[in-house]
Amino acid sequence: MTPGLRGLARSPRAVAGAVLIVALFLLAFVGPHLTSWSHTDVDYTALRSAPSTRHWFGTSRIGQDVFAQTVRGLQKSLLIGLFVALFSTGLAAAVGTCAGYFGGWTDRLLMFLVDLLLVIPGFLVLVVVAPALRDAGWMAFVGLLAALGWMLTARAVRAMTLSLKERPYVVAARHMGVRPFLIIRRHVVPHMASFLITHATIAVAGAVISETGLSYFGFGVQPPDVSLGTLIADSTDVALTYPWMFFFPTGLLLCFVLAVNLVGEALRDALDPVAVRAEVRA
């Protein structure tokens, strides 16, 4: 086991966050099979019913099982967060490293694109475009969120690449005739791993929160499907009257954001090349 991974395994934050994330994923993907109710079923004999053995998390105002809806919403929100983080981080890394390493017209063209996208109000774009994507499925929503969330990270990656490409080992590899993309893969990207991992974990939480906010305003996941955002939006006005409708999805959202942040901080420390070398010397 590498020093970084040993440090990660010894980190209480990493262990606690990883356990919580695994538990949430199990709840999201195994939970629907633990109950006889689906997120679309309606029990007309139990309207706004409190938690019981029949309905573990109670029922909604129209008799839908809150547990079935919550685990379905958690599943959808987790998938959206993971895919958005994956796509946006990968796009930022590709654009930033190419702009910083190759320079010249490549740098100017890519940074012009970044600057152009930065001046466009992302929330307004989401509000305008999201309704048109209602029939395209949730993956189109993922693509829209990812397309509007990578520009600042790409600028940071470019700045790091400009510094890394002047390092002696990169200069030596370049003079030895190593192909540029091989240099980027072997010598540039690994030294940005801690930053990219940290960004990806933050992007997961940010994407889930963005999806929740957009769904709250009716621009995200559309019925009959549900997400944590739609569940929170539907139950906000009865949070004090029927708290089980509001606090179960809200609690799972908070737990997921907390767990991702814990793991992200631990990964940043474990994958930092400077910290790993210090541990090896110690």
Side-chain angles (χ1 to χ4, degrees):
M1 184 181 293
T2 64
L5 293 179
R6 284 199 298 268
L8 186 64
R10 291 197 298 264
S11 172
R13 292 176 301 174
V15 174
V19 169
L20 188 53
I21 288 176
V22 170
L24 289 172
F25 268 90
L26 288 176
L27 178 63
F29 291 95
V30 179
H33 303 287
L34 300 178
T35 177
S36 58
W37 300 95
S38 74
H39 69 284
T40 57
D41 290 341
V42 177
D43 185 358
Y44 294 104
T45 65
L47 305 181
R48 299 182 296 276
S49 174
S52 63
T53 56
R54 180 175 173 83
H55 297 286
W56 300 339
F57 285 4
T59 61
S60 66
R61 67 189 79 194
I62 63 172
Q64 292 175 310
D65 187 78
V66 174
F67 175 81
Q69 287 200 313
T70 300
V71 294
R72 172 67 176 183
L74 177 63
Q75 180 184 125
K76 191 64 65 178
S77 294
L78 290 179
L79 290 174
I80 290 174
L82 288 174
F83 280 116
V84 169
L86 178 64
F87 293 156
S88 64
T89 303
L91 183 59
V95 172
T97 52
C98 288
Y101 186 84
F102 294 107
W105 66 267
T106 303
D107 184 20
R108 290 192 293 271
L109 180 62
L110 292 176
M111 287 302 101
F112 174 77
L113 175 64
V114 169
D115 293 337
L116 181 64
L117 292 175
L118 281 174
V119 300
I120 300 176
F123 183 78
L124 292 180
V125 174
L126 288 170
V127 170
V128 172
V129 178
L133 299 177
R134 288 179 176 175
D135 298 330
W138 62 273
M139 281 302 295
F141 186 56
V142 167
L144 182 60
L145 285 175
L148 296 173
W150 60 273
M151 291 80 71
L152 290 176
T153 307
R155 277 197 162 277
V157 170
R158 172 184 175 270
M160 297 175 68
T161 303
L162 288 173
S163 174
L164 288 170
K165 76 173 186 178
E166 301 301 330
R167 299 287 178 88
Y169 50 85
V170 176
V171 175
R174 192 159 56 239
H175 287 310
M176 292 173 62
V178 180
R179 294 190 302 274
F181 287 106
L182 188 58
I183 294 176
I184 291 174
R185 182 171 64 86
R186 288 184 176 178
H187 301 297
V188 176
V189 173
H191 282 77
M192 295 188 294
S194 61
F195 172 77
L196 294 175
I197 291 293
T198 303
H199 170 266
T201 54
I202 295 174
V204 171
V208 171
I209 293 174
S210 297
E211 178 274 325
T212 301
L214 289 169
S215 297
Y216 183 89
F217 292 108
F219 299 111
V221 176
Q222 300 300 315
D225 209 349
V226 295
S227 70
L228 293 181
T230 59
L231 295 177
I232 293 171
D234 292 340
S235 59
T236 300
D237 58 336
V238 294
L240 299 180
T241 310
Y242 307 106
W244 58 87
M245 299 183 195
F246 177 79
F247 287 105
F248 281 120
T250 304
L252 290 179
L253 174 63
L254 294 177
C255 287
F256 178 69
V257 173
L258 173 63
V260 166
N261 286 332
L262 289 175
V263 172
E265 291 180 2
L267 283 172
R268 178 196 60 198
D269 297 338
L271 297 177
D272 187 354
V274 177
V276 171
R277 286 196 294 268
E279 184 178 348
V280 171
R281 288 195 298 268

